[in-house]
Amino acid sequence: MEEEAATLTSTPRNSDRALVEGEVVLGVDTHRDVHVAAVLSLVGAVMDTRSFPSTAVGYGELWEWVGRLGTVRLAGVEGSSSYGAALSRYLLARRVEVFEVSRPDRSVRRRRGKTDAVDAQEAARAVLSGRARSRAKAGDGPVQCARLLKLTKDSAVKARTQAINPLKAVLITADPGLREELSGLKTTALVRACAQFEGREISDGGPNAVEQATRVVLCLLAQRIEHLSGQMRDVEKRLTELVERHFP
């Protein structure tokens, strides 16, 4: 009761406008497959807590459920940039101010226990009291597009490096004739040369079996590197076009 009274007498600092009668505050503890939501009144009383699937249908059911309890203008979402990103976009599109909420501290968990329902309630309380001040990223528009493209490019760069290293390691153990054939080539030229090796059948136990296997492996690794390099160039082109179009 003391906590509810404190909530009632404090003015939420998350919005320039005051909450009005009939409004409620939403808190959500997000997971990959299920989101647990809690709705609190203006005095911090728990009105209801329920779980919803993290699907388009689930978001719609959550919105309808909240609407039956009151008008929501503020929401606290755990993991608004990960498991809760799609839900945050859904709420923002409905003119709800969404705030990123950290997990409850240890003192709260010792006092109330650790459950998803408690975490959802604490997310709503963090917004109601003003402790949660970091607004969730919109996650839409050109910024999100750039973020996704950057993620793809970074992944391709990492995978390309992981393919170049074994290619050079295989070359070190190759027969002298093959090493001399490729000696002095820079990485780009080396990859191009290896990619042109024929994918011959590897003879079982023949005198040239090791060299044949080496050429096949070098060819496969080089073709993988070229594919990833092409992806990097494509993503870089898309990023450049995005920036020039939206942020000239």
Side-chain angles (χ1 to χ4, degrees), residues 121-132:
Q121 293 164 17
E122 286 304 312
R125 285 194 174 92
V127 173
L128 190 58
S129 66
R131 297 196 310 272

Side-chain angles (χ1 to χ4, degrees), residues 162-222:
Q162 291 175 337
I164 290 175
N165 290 338
L167 182 143
K168 293 185 175 180
V170 169
L171 191 56
I172 290 174
T173 62
D175 290 337
L178 182 56
R179 290 204 309 271
E180 292 172 7
E181 179 182 343
L182 300 172
S183 64
L185 296 178
K186 299 293 184 181
T187 299
T188 302
L190 174 63
V191 170
R192 188 182 305 114
C194 291
Q196 295 174 355
F197 287 159
E198 296 179 6
R200 303 173 182 174
E201 293 292 333
I202 302 174
S203 59
D204 296 330
N208 298 322
V210 173
E211 181 178 353
Q212 292 171 359
T214 301
R215 287 178 175 272
V216 168
V217 169
L218 289 173
C219 179
L220 292 173
L221 288 171

Side-chain angles (χ1 to χ4, degrees), residues 50-172:
R50 192 171 298 184
S51 299
F52 299 91
S54 54
T55 62
V57 173
Y59 296 163
E61 293 174 348
L62 184 152
W63 185 251
E64 291 179 3
W65 167 71
V66 174
R68 291 195 293 270
L69 297 172
T71 302
V72 60
R73 293 288 181 266
L74 300 174
V77 177
E78 279 192 23
S80 63
S81 60
S82 55
Y83 288 141
L87 176 61
S88 296
R89 290 196 298 270
Y90 182 91
L91 294 173
L92 287 167
R94 284 151 183 79
R95 299 183 179 180
V96 177
E97 292 183 69
V98 181
F99 293 84
E100 168 63 31
V101 178
S102 302
R103 292 181 178 180
D105 58 31
R106 294 181 179 179
S107 63
V108 172
R109 293 194 172 193
R110 283 196 300 268
R111 189 168 67 250
R112 300 193 174 188
K114 166 63 180 87
T115 67
D116 294 338
V118 168
D119 286 352
Q121 293 164 17
E122 286 304 312
R125 285 194 174 92
V127 173
L128 190 58
S129 66
R131 297 196 310 272
R133 301 186 181 185
S134 177
R135 281 181 167 80
K137 296 182 175 63
D140 58 3
V143 174
Q144 179 65 6
C145 293
R147 186 179 292 115
L148 292 172
L149 289 170
K150 180 66 163 52
L151 175 66
T152 304
K153 180 183 176 182
D154 291 346
S155 175
V157 170
K158 182 178 180 180
R160 183 176 181 273
T161 301
Q162 291 175 337
I164 290 175
N165 290 338
L167 182 143
K168 293 185 175 180
V170 169
L171 191 56
I172 290 174

